[in-house]
Amino acid sequence: MKRLFSFLCLIFAFNSLVSALPSGLQDEFDQVVFDVRLVGGDEVFFGLVENEEDCVALFYDGGKAELNILTCVAREYGELKKLAYGCKLLVKSVATRSDYERKSIHDQIVAKLKEFAKFKDEDYDTVDKLGFVKINWYETDSFVQYREEFAARQTKKAVTKLSAWSYNDNLKNMLDDFYKPAHEDVDVDFVVYDKVSGMTGPEDYMQSLDSAFAKGSECPDVFSLDSLFVRKYVESGYLLPLDDVYEELKDELVEYPVKIGSYDGHVYALSWLMTPGAMFYRRSLAKKYLGTDDPDEVQKYFCDTDKMLETARLLKDKSNGSCRLVASSDDLFEAFLGLRKNPWMVDGNLNIDPAMEKYMDVCKIMHDEGLDGQVARWSEGWFSGTHDSLKDSDGNTMEIFSYFFPKWGLNFIIKPESPETSADWAMCEGPSAYNWGGEWLAAYKGTKNPEAVKEMIKYFVSNTDFLGKYVDQENDLPANRKVQDKIKKGKEDPYLAGQNPYGTLYDIAENVDGNLYQATDQEIEYIFQGVLSYYVRGKNTKQEVLDSFRNLVSKGLGIVAK
């Protein structure tokens, strides 16, 4: 059935292609070399046809009332097919008209056609008036000139081959949608290691990297690194320094992601995005219990951790116990990490910053006084708090006032979990500037193409055209100051009742301390969160838990824990 449907579509597409040709030529073309037709809504056609007389034509209708036809004898149309194939890949990279518009496929194809036809004496012109079709004819002589120019360009441009690894699709999509179309002289062999290789998560990805680096062979030229393990590799000695790239771009890059990617005076990893955290709260609950839902006014209730705790008590009291500040006190962990003055390791010794002792005390108070939902983060109950379905031990519904997240938490957790609460959310800074998550690009120090790799990383962290389109496509936050003004002015979010969160997020990012990040963070924080529950639930004293924490870190990491 699928084959029959495809065949019928092909016949329909061919008929559409042929019928669009000028009168008198419609009967001459009898073979479809290839054809692409978008589905959904308005249709966009693209095709290459040829006839028995060795005449070929390239047809393109970009939905903007324009028709382009190029003809030549078959023995000279190799260059045409290369051009057509490149355009075909652009069209096939999207499935719907909305994707076609969003990715500016029309503009990219027109650019290719202009390049191809630039040898014709008459100027290439586009016509934007709907209902009017402009026909551009290019005869055999233009193909001869194009062939000569094409050969000269190919002689000058040798293709550089690079390998790229990642643990998700982000880098692949960036390469396919943006980098490759703009760098035809670079061939990137890409592998997504958690899918193609059947791996199950970051641990497998790191094992593959470790194995390749240890052998010194089959190493990726460029690869992505998650916040969970970026510091492991930044401190590993296996990465190519990116100091020259940073020096060129330092005035436009937000500082803290650069600091996270730096070690021992050198920059080893750079990021195109950033993930500063904030506080997302329910407008209806703010109005009900605080008298306002205005982000600037609500922020006054959460300007520091003492005020936050005071407000948590206020919410519970005014709601007769139904409104809780957060679903889990675990949600405050990253916010308190951001309050530290020093990292976990100082001069080779474990350092317990006063901010983390304060976090222990706040979690204990919230548990004892019932100020949080008392469910574990990422549990079913924790998710249900976004849409008013979290119950207490007596079966009563709890109102969850807020969640602490970067922008990705709004995009991928709150919105999907609670579409019915759209326009009932807002964002304020909260008690601290903190970061949670992120992704970096790095290169292997033994790459045979260091300049090409640096150029790729530079493109992703500084090309304003890419970054602007990336924001529109992914609704994320670029770590480049050049695109800030546009984002601050034109990115209102209906889910936040029209609030534009980007200005506040950029302000938060400027206050995040990138020097707090180290390779041992993940192991230390896992141990800390594991022993904390014994204090929160009253099974051990605070001092007993801290002593246990120090002993476990000393044994697990083989370091001194004073």
Side-chain angles (χ1 to χ4, degrees), residues 92-342:
K92 291 194 71 175
S93 68
V94 298
T96 65
R97 182 58 182 270
S98 61
D99 288 338
Y100 172 84
E101 295 289 351
R102 177 171 54 83
K103 293 189 177 184
S104 302
I105 300 299
H106 172 78
D107 294 339
Q108 295 183 57
I109 289 179
V110 167
K112 287 182 176 292
L113 292 170
K114 283 183 178 181
E115 176 68 17
F116 186 90
K118 69 180 181 181
F119 311 102
K120 193 67 175 171
D121 292 337
E122 62 183 339
D123 292 333
Y124 183 94
D125 187 24
T126 59
V127 178
D128 294 327
K129 290 183 179 179
L130 295 177
F132 179 78
V133 174
K134 179 175 178 60
I135 298 175
N136 298 307
W137 270 101
Y138 303 102
E139 301 292 349
T140 303
D141 57 345
S142 67
F143 284 84
V144 176
Q145 292 174 304
Y146 174 80
R147 181 183 59 196
E148 294 173 353
E149 179 65 18
F150 180 84
R153 289 203 307 269
Q154 291 302 102
T155 302
K156 294 177 182 178
K157 287 187 177 181
V159 175
T160 301
K161 292 186 177 295
L162 298 176
S163 60
W165 287 9
S166 182
Y167 55 93
N168 59 31
D169 286 332
N170 291 344
L171 181 55
K172 178 183 185 301
N173 294 336
M174 289 159 52
L175 287 168
D176 290 345
D177 294 347
F178 301 103
Y179 188 79
K180 289 181 180 180
H183 298 81
E184 296 180 353
D185 57 333
V186 179
D187 181 17
V188 184
D189 180 21
F190 180 83
V191 177
V192 182
Y193 262 75
D194 65 346
K195 293 182 179 179
V196 175
S197 298
M199 298 184 178
T200 58
E203 291 297 329
D204 291 326
Y205 179 67
M206 287 189 284
Q207 288 177 13
S208 295
L209 285 175
D210 293 343
S211 176
F213 293 157
K215 292 186 298 184
S217 61
E218 300 181 358
C219 301
D221 294 294
V222 63
F223 46 94
S224 59
L225 298 169
D226 187 79
S227 61
L228 293 174
F229 49 83
V230 60
R231 288 294 305 194
K232 169 184 175 179
Y233 294 100
V234 165
E235 299 179 25
S236 69
Y238 288 120
L239 304 192
L240 178 72
L242 304 175
D243 300 340
D244 50 348
V245 177
Y246 170 66
E247 282 300 318
E248 183 180 348
L249 304 174
K250 63 181 179 181
D251 291 338
E252 60 188 77
L253 298 181
V254 176
E255 183 179 8
Y256 91 80
V258 176
K259 292 293 185 182
I260 294 175
S262 302
Y263 179 67
D264 200 22
H266 296 284
V267 179
Y268 291 104
L270 291 172
S271 181
W272 68 96
L273 59 83
M274 57 184 180
T275 52
M279 175 179 171
F280 293 89
Y281 64 90
R282 295 287 293 276
R283 288 182 178 271
S284 58
L285 300 180
K287 282 184 178 179
K288 186 175 181 180
Y289 301 123
L290 303 181
T292 179
D293 68 341
D294 179 78
D296 292 335
E297 294 300 315
V298 172
Q299 172 61 21
K300 296 176 182 178
Y301 287 88
F302 300 95
C303 56
D304 57 45
T305 55
D306 289 334
K307 188 68 175 176
M308 178 186 70
L309 192 59
E310 177 185 324
T311 303
R313 291 180 173 126
L314 177 66
L315 292 172
K316 184 183 178 184
D317 290 344
K318 284 196 171 185
S319 66
N320 294 319
S322 66
C323 187
R324 314 295 175 90
L325 174 62
V326 287
S328 171
S329 58
D330 297 344
D331 292 357
L332 304 176
F333 182 62
E334 285 76 20
F336 276 87
L337 285 175
L339 288 169
R340 293 175 297 162
K341 301 299 182 184
N342 293 292

Side-chain angles (χ1 to χ4, degrees), residues 524-541:
I524 291 174
E525 289 166 10
Y526 178 79
I527 295 172
F528 181 82
Q529 290 175 296
V531 300
L532 176 62
S533 62
Y534 290 93
Y535 172 57
V536 171
R537 288 167 173 74
K539 295 182 178 180
N540 295 97
T541 66

Side-chain angles (χ1 to χ4, degrees), residues 364-497:
K364 174 69 171 169
I365 292 170
M366 293 185 72
H367 180 271
D368 291 347
E369 297 183 16
L371 303 178
D372 69 331
Q374 301 191 4
V375 292
R377 183 194 268 178
W378 312 122
S379 67
E380 182 178 350
W382 181 83
F383 282 102
S384 68
T386 64
H387 46 76
D388 304 322
S389 301
L390 180 59
K391 308 286 186 179
D392 63 18
S393 57
D394 296 324
N396 300 314
T397 299
M398 288 186 281
E399 300 171 316
I400 302 304
F401 185 83
S402 64
Y403 282 80
F404 283 69
F405 275 129
K407 185 70 164 53
W408 56 257
L410 176 67
N411 295 343
F412 301 113
I413 296 177
I414 297 179
K415 287 183 179 181
E417 285 291 323
S418 187
E420 67 273 22
T421 59
S422 178
D424 191 32
W425 292 85
M427 189 201 80
C428 64
E429 181 176 347
S432 69
Y434 68 94
N435 178 75
W436 183 8
E439 190 171 349
W440 283 255
L441 293 175
Y444 175 53
K445 68 177 182 180
T447 177
K448 296 179 181 179
N449 297 291
E451 295 308 315
V453 168
K454 289 179 181 180
E455 183 61 32
M456 178 187 291
I457 294 175
K458 176 184 173 182
Y459 173 87
F460 284 129
V461 302
S462 68
N463 185 281
T464 54
D465 181 60
F466 155 69
L467 291 171
K469 292 176 180 176
Y470 179 84
V471 172
D472 293 336
Q473 179 174 306
E474 301 296 332
N475 200 21
D476 225 324
L477 198 66
N480 188 296
R481 294 189 177 97
K482 279 189 174 181
V483 294
Q484 286 188 24
D485 290 340
K486 176 183 177 182
I487 296 173
K488 287 179 179 179
K489 295 176 182 177
K491 295 294 290 185
E492 289 76 16
D493 192 332
Y495 197 88
L496 300 179

